[in-house]
């Protein structure tokens, strides 16, 4: 995949099975967001294949998008609406009709303070908006969840809430792909971590045992790669 | 609920929460009420004044004492142009053309060629009529309410989430358009209700009323589509607002102001002085009935004498002076008619050219439909002038005929002390003269006059819709 003559992804191969969380790690400009754009059908590969729930999002974007929840890098919501209104409007557009109680439950699970539920978004911080968006993604109940730097802007408590929510989503047999340059957050939630570099996955590790990842080793390796890149 | 409905409802919710927008809508509604009320009372006032003056003029004409018929020809008669039933909605050229005429013998009313008509095309910007509110103020409000519809989503980055949420590009654009269209309806309906009240007048008929409603509906639909189109094409709200304000200024203010000036330059109307000089010159050339050597009247006299089989005018069974007056009036009227036709032709050319500008400015096309259907365009004024001239000619010739039949040639030429008394005929003759009644145009005439403008607006609407379709396709590819 390239933008003009600029090759961003080259020989990338990745599969995200249902009921698992895959983290894609890479430095700035490594092509993480571009990978998600491919999966959403916003850009098309020059060659190779992209499949979401059995269809090519470049050919049938509506089909793929209908089965995908996506949390963008920069969450854009409506300032003129309250948190609840944002959620019910966006969910109604995708054909969901959650009750107010369900929306409030999702907000609570995402760690959004109660006083913010019926407040307009114009006064919200980046983290608060992020929480609203996470709650919306959770309520979509779709088989695929794509997350672009979901924990940036979240405080430690909110990050913990988010991780818990993510596990609950995985239990629903959702395929989760999360791209980030935050090794720690990847380590906390992911079942597998892929390192993206020069447009391909240069290394892939899977969680094992109760310790899951050897953080120190990963940090040493990731730090090295980051320096080399 | 469909995505389109959801988006339309959200757009309306956004407008409702914008206090400036709500205030603007309320102010516009107020403006509409004021416009309808003032137009209505103003029109009632004018109609009543003109009717009263007409009655007074008729009474004065009929109250003339016994006198010589030719004195009645010069006493003359005033007639007033009655307002068309829809004039309160769109007064058109009425305020700029003469609406009263003095009818007398030997001259066609000067208002036919008057300087004042130079301005008949310049229906000035800014009269507070229901038509003006719909033509200029409502589009401006729609611009302020709608410029950000799609551009806001593009600029803030909410467009992509909207697409990802499963809303197709067309449902987003159509939803925004529907919301704006609804607002257009809300602000347009009071003006239309006002229009209906005005149209409820006796004499108004369904055809022109329907045409006006269709044309204004299409015009506001066109603005809604155009606003959504610009909002879809540009990436920033500010750019959308600037572009739309520029379009408004050019099509609603500038072109309607400039088009008549251009038309007036290209098809100039003769001014009053030029016309009078030309007519005087032509009259001299036509002949002088008082000059016994004039070739035309010498021939006329010979013809008359031959027809009655006599050799002297004194032996004619009718008053030769009356016959001369009839012939003189026929000749001068033919001349005046020719000048009037030239003037009408120049006006028609100007108006065709102005309508041509409608290809650039739908507002011009709309004004044409509006004035034509209301019967207040130049065509409506011309109808009045033509009927007035027919009436004048008929009246003058009836009086000339009275002179020929009722006054003897001997009395008419006598100069003795009692002659003046003998020349008079009874006042009952004036009372028996027909009264001027304006025959209004048929509904079909009014509708036919407005169809061209409607066609232009419809063409614009189709073009804008096609462009919006293309822009929507591009939006979906983002
Ligand atoms: N729309 C675009 N047009 C041209 N080049 C682009 C475009 N989007 C991204 N790129 C380029 O592609 C490369 C990868 O960009 P991408 O946004 O995928 O990186 P990223 O891994 O998400 O980085 P970050 O951590 O900063 O979010 C960058 O070099 C960027 O300059
Ligand atoms: Mg990125």
């Amino acid at each position: 995949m390239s933008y003009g003559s600029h090759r961003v992804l080259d020989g990338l191969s990745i599969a995200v099975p249902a009921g698992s969380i895959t983290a894609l790690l890479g430095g700035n400009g490594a092509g993480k967001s571009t990978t998600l754009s491919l999966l959403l059908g916003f850009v098309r590969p020059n060659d190779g294949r992209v499949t979401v729930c059995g269809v090519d999002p470049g050919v049938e974007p509506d089909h793929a998008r209908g089965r995908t929840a996506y949390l963008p890098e920069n969450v854009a919501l409506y300032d003129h609406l309250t948190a609840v209104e944002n959620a019910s409007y966006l969910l109604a557009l995708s054909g969901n009709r959650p009750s107010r109680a369900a929306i409030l439950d999702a907000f609570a699970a995402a760690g959004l303070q109660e006083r913010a539920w019926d407040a307009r978004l114009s006064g919200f911080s980046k983290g608060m908006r992020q929480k609203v968006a996470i709650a919306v993604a959770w309520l979509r109940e779709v088989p695929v969840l794509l997350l672009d730097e979901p924990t940036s802007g979240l405080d430690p408590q909110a990050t913990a809430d988010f991780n818990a929510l993510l596990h609950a989503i995985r239990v629903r047999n959702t395929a989760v792909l999360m791209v980030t340059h935050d090794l720690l957050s990847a380590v906390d939630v992911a079942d597998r971590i892929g390192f993206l570099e020069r447009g391909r996955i240069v290394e892939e590790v899977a969680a094992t045992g109760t310790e899951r990842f050897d953080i120190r080793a990963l940090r040493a390796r990731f730090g090295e790669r980051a320096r080399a890149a | 609920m469909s995505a389109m409905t959801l988006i339309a409802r959200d757009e309306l919710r956004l407008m409702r929460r914008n206090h400036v927008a709500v205030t603007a809508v309320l102010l516009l509604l107020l403006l509409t009420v004021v416009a309808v009320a003032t137009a209505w009372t103003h029109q009632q006032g004018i109609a009543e004044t003109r009717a009263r003056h007409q009655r007074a003029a008729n009474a004065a004409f009929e109250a003339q004492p016994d006198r010589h018929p030719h004195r009645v020809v010069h006493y003359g008669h005033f007639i007033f142009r009655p307002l068309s039933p829809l004039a309160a909605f769109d007064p058109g050229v009425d305020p700029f053309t003469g609406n009263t005429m003095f009818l007398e013998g030997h001259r066609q009313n000067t208002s036919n060629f008057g300087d004042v008509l130079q301005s008949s095309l310049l229906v000035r910007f800014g009269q507070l009529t229901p038509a003006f509110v719909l033509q200029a103020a409502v589009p401006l409000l729609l611009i302020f309410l709608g410029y950000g519809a799609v551009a806001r989503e593009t600029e803030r980055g909410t467009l992509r989430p909207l697409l990802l949420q499963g809303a197709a590009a067309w449902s987003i654009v159509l939803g925004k358009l529907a919301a704006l269209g609804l607002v257009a309806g809300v602000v347009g309906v009071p003006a239309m209700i006002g229009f209906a009240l005005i149209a409820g007048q006796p004499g108004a008929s369904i055809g022109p009323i329907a045409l006006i409603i269709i044309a204004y509906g299409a015009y506001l639909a066109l603005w809604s589509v155009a606003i959504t189109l610009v909002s879809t094409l540009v990436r920033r709200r500010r750019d959308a607002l600037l572009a739309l304000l520029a379009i408004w200024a050019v099509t609603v203010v500038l072109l309607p102001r400039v088009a008549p000036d251009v038309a007036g330059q290209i098809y100039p109307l003769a001014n009053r002085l030029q016309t009078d000089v030309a007519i005087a010159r032509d009259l001299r050339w036509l002949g002088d009935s008082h000059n016994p050597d004039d070739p035309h009247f010498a021939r006329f006299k010979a013809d008359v004498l031959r027809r009655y089989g006599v050799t002297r005018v004194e032996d004619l069974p009718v008053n030769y002076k009356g016959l001369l007056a009839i012939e003189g009036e026929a000749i001068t009227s033919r001349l005046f008619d020719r000048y009037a036709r030239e003037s009408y032709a120049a006006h028609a050319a100007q108006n065709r050219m102005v309508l041509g500008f409608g290809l650039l400015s739908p507002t011009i096309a709309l004004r044409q439909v509006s004035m034509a259907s209301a019967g207040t365009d130049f065509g409506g004024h011309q109808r009045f002038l033509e009927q007035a001239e027919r009436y004048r000619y008929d009246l003058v010739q009836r009086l000339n005929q009275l002179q020929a039949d009722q006054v003897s040639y001997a009395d008419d030429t006598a100069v003795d002390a009692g002659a003046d008394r003998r020349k008079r005929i009874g006042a009952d003759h004036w009372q028996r003269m027909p009264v001027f009644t304006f025959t209004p145009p048929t509904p079909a005439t009014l509708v036919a006059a407005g169809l061209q403008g409607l066609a232009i607006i419809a063409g614009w609407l189709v073009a804008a819709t096609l462009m919006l379709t293309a822009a929507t396709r591009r939006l979906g590819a983002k």
Side-chain angles (χ1 to χ4, degrees):
Chain A
M1 155 67 215
S2 47
Y3 293 107
S5 63
H6 176 38
R7 264 175 182 267
V8 179
L9 298 176
D10 192 359
L12 172 71
S13 173
I14 186 171
V16 183
S20 76
I21 300 175
T22 302
L24 197 56
L25 241 78
N28 292 132
K32 304 185 296 294
S33 298
T34 304
T35 306
L36 298 187
S37 291
L38 275 171
L39 293 168
L40 291 165
F42 285 123
V43 293
R44 289 188 186 211
N46 308 55
D47 49 35
R49 253 172 7 99
V50 181
T51 315
V52 174
C53 295
V55 303
D56 181 347
V59 180
E60 289 177 71
D62 292 343
H63 186 93
R65 291 171 190 173
R67 283 157 185 73
T68 309
Y70 166 63
L71 194 63
E73 210 169 341
N74 300 305
V75 168
L77 293 163
Y78 293 96
D79 281 1
H80 68 280
L81 302 180
T82 67
V84 171
E85 285 168 345
N86 262 288
S88 52
Y89 175 49
L90 290 172
L91 288 163
L93 281 176
S94 55
N96 301 63
R97 290 249 133 204
S99 64
R100 181 177 158 85
I103 293 173
L104 297 186
D105 282 349
F107 284 161
L112 186 69
Q113 313 89 300
E114 196 174 334
R115 59 171 175 79
W117 294 351
D118 287 306
R120 297 226 183 134
L121 251 63
S122 41
F124 277 31
S125 69
K126 180 173 190 288
M128 290 162 79
R129 287 163 193 267
Q130 192 85 358
K131 288 170 187 173
V132 174
I134 290 165
V136 171
W138 153 259
L139 288 165
R140 288 270 316 267
E141 300 191 23
V142 282
V144 179
L145 176 59
L146 305 177
L147 305 161
D148 199 341
E149 322 257 0
T151 51
S152 74
L154 295 187
D155 60 37
Q157 177 57 47
T159 308
D161 291 340
F162 170 73
N163 289 346
L165 204 54
L166 217 50
H167 280 292
I169 291 175
R170 181 179 56 174
V171 169
R172 290 198 308 220
N173 210 27
T174 304
V176 182
L177 176 63
M178 160 174 155
V179 306
T180 180
H181 41 61
D182 178 4
L183 178 65
L184 277 182
S185 82
V187 163
D188 276 344
V189 292
D191 301 309
R192 284 184 312 143
I193 302 178
F195 291 92
L196 183 63
E197 221 173 86
R198 295 185 305 276
R200 70 187 69 186
I201 304 233
V202 291
E203 180 134 16
E204 204 172 334
V205 291
T208 46
T210 46
E211 270 300 295
R212 294 168 48 80
F213 296 102
D214 181 347
I215 295 174
R216 220 170 292 160
L218 280 179
R219 180 172 286 160
R221 279 206 302 242
F222 184 58
E224 245 169 62
R225 296 205 184 285
R227 268 193 299 279
Chain B
M1 205 179 305
S2 74
M4 188 191 114
T5 319
L6 284 163
I7 285 164
R9 276 173 37 144
D10 175 63
E11 191 67 18
L12 292 171
R13 177 165 57 181
L14 175 64
M15 290 179 199
R16 261 203 324 274
R17 291 188 179 177
N18 179 344
H19 298 305
V20 180
V22 173
T23 313
V25 169
L26 292 178
L27 280 178
L28 190 84
L29 292 180
L30 189 69
L31 187 72
T32 306
V33 170
V34 172
V36 169
T38 50
W40 172 254
T41 48
H42 185 65
Q43 183 197 13
Q44 294 300 90
I46 290 180
E48 214 225 291
T49 311
R50 289 187 193 175
R52 198 177 55 235
H53 284 315
Q54 187 65 70
R55 279 194 303 275
N58 292 347
F61 184 83
E62 287 168 16
Q64 292 177 89
D66 296 357
R67 52 171 47 154
H68 188 277
H70 199 69
R71 282 198 58 202
V72 178
V73 166
H74 284 291
Y75 180 82
H77 197 352
F78 276 104
I79 59 169
F80 295 83
R81 179 184 167 189
L83 276 179
S84 75
L86 301 182
F89 175 75
D90 188 343
V93 300
D94 186 75
F96 308 103
T97 52
N99 43 51
T100 164
M101 268 215 268
F102 180 60
L103 310 180
E104 58 176 333
H106 312 328
R107 39 193 337 171
Q108 202 171 59
N109 197 291
T110 46
S111 116
N112 287 15
F113 324 111
D115 261 338
V116 65
L117 286 192
Q118 294 280 8
S119 63
S120 77
L121 291 164
L122 307 181
V123 180
R124 287 187 224 308
F125 178 82
Q127 295 181 82
L128 188 57
T129 63
F132 169 75
V133 170
L134 287 169
Q135 287 165 8
V138 172
L140 196 59
L141 179 75
L142 291 181
I143 288 174
F144 282 116
L145 294 179
Y147 73 94
V150 184
R152 183 182 64 244
E153 309 267 6
T154 315
E155 184 175 353
R156 295 262 177 90
T158 44
L159 186 67
R160 201 176 246 208
L162 229 45
L163 290 169
L164 287 175
Q165 222 60 34
W170 69 262
S171 60
I172 298 176
V173 170
L174 272 187
K176 306 281 187 182
L177 179 62
L180 198 58
L182 197 73
V183 174
V186 166
V187 294
V189 157
M192 279 297 155
I193 290 175
F195 171 60
L197 290 176
I198 290 165
Q201 290 239 86
S205 40
I206 194 73
I209 293 172
L211 186 66
I212 284 184
I213 290 177
I214 292 170
Y216 279 89
Y219 178 74
L220 293 185
L222 171 61
W223 270 107
S224 303
V225 171
I227 291 165
T228 312
L229 171 67
V230 171
S231 191
T232 304
L233 285 176
V234 305
R235 311 192 123 266
R236 281 197 302 260
R237 280 185 305 165
R238 209 189 40 148
D239 296 348
L241 182 60
L242 288 179
L244 285 165
L245 286 180
I247 291 172
W248 182 85
V250 170
T251 61
V252 178
V253 184
L254 189 69
L255 284 175
R257 187 69 194 77
V258 165
D261 286 343
V262 173
Q265 288 294 319
I266 294 179
Y267 300 105
L269 300 175
N271 69 31
R272 170 78 190 280
L273 187 68
Q274 288 169 332
T275 311
D276 283 354
V277 167
I279 289 177
R281 194 184 52 226
D282 289 352
L283 275 179
R284 218 168 24 245
W285 186 82
L286 272 182
D288 175 3
S289 60
H290 299 292
N291 176 0
D293 298 328
D294 181 273
H296 177 83
F297 283 95
R299 214 168 33 247
F300 174 74
K301 184 173 167 185
D303 279 350
V304 170
L305 292 177
R306 189 172 334 110
R307 198 141 29 97
Y308 285 96
V310 293
T311 51
R312 297 185 322 148
V313 292
E314 289 80 355
D315 300 335
L316 285 169
V318 290
N319 179 355
Y320 180 65
K321 284 188 77 175
L323 296 184
L324 265 184
I326 290 172
E327 173 67 6
E329 191 62 42
I331 290 174
T332 51
S333 286
R334 273 199 295 278
L335 177 67
F336 287 124
D337 280 343
R338 206 185 78 217
Y339 277 92
R341 273 197 304 276
E342 281 171 14
S343 167
Y344 295 152
H347 274 289
Q350 284 187 351
N351 282 307
R352 267 197 309 277
M353 177 147 197
V354 170
L355 183 60
F357 274 92
L359 296 173
L360 299 175
S361 157
T363 310
I364 291 178
L366 179 70
R367 287 171 162 220
Q368 194 265 344
V369 186
S370 184
M371 289 193 290
S373 317
T376 55
D377 60 348
F378 184 76
H381 184 59
Q382 183 178 332
R383 256 189 303 276
F384 168 70
L385 295 178
E386 285 168 348
Q387 289 187 23
E389 169 54 20
R390 268 201 301 280
Y391 174 75
R392 182 200 70 84
Y393 186 74
D394 177 66
L395 183 72
V396 170
Q397 294 298 50
R398 278 170 192 263
L399 291 167
N400 286 337
Q401 194 66 53
L402 284 176
Q403 183 183 2
D405 296 340
Q406 312 270 326
V407 183
S408 76
Y409 184 72
D411 288 341
D412 220 357
T413 47
V415 289
D416 59 287
D420 204 41
R421 176 166 295 278
R422 292 198 306 278
K423 290 176 195 176
R424 293 182 195 168
I425 66 171
D428 57 315
H429 286 105
W430 329 140
Q431 284 146 25
R432 281 203 301 271
M433 285 291 156
V435 171
F436 175 72
T437 44
F438 180 70
T439 311
T442 63
T445 310
L446 293 178
V447 169
L451 282 181
Q452 271 177 311
L454 184 65
I456 292 177
I457 299 172
W460 269 99
L461 186 58
V462 169
T465 307
L466 290 178
M467 284 192 273
L468 184 61
T469 312
T472 305
R473 220 168 272 144
R474 234 187 55 172
L475 191 74
K478 268 183 194 162

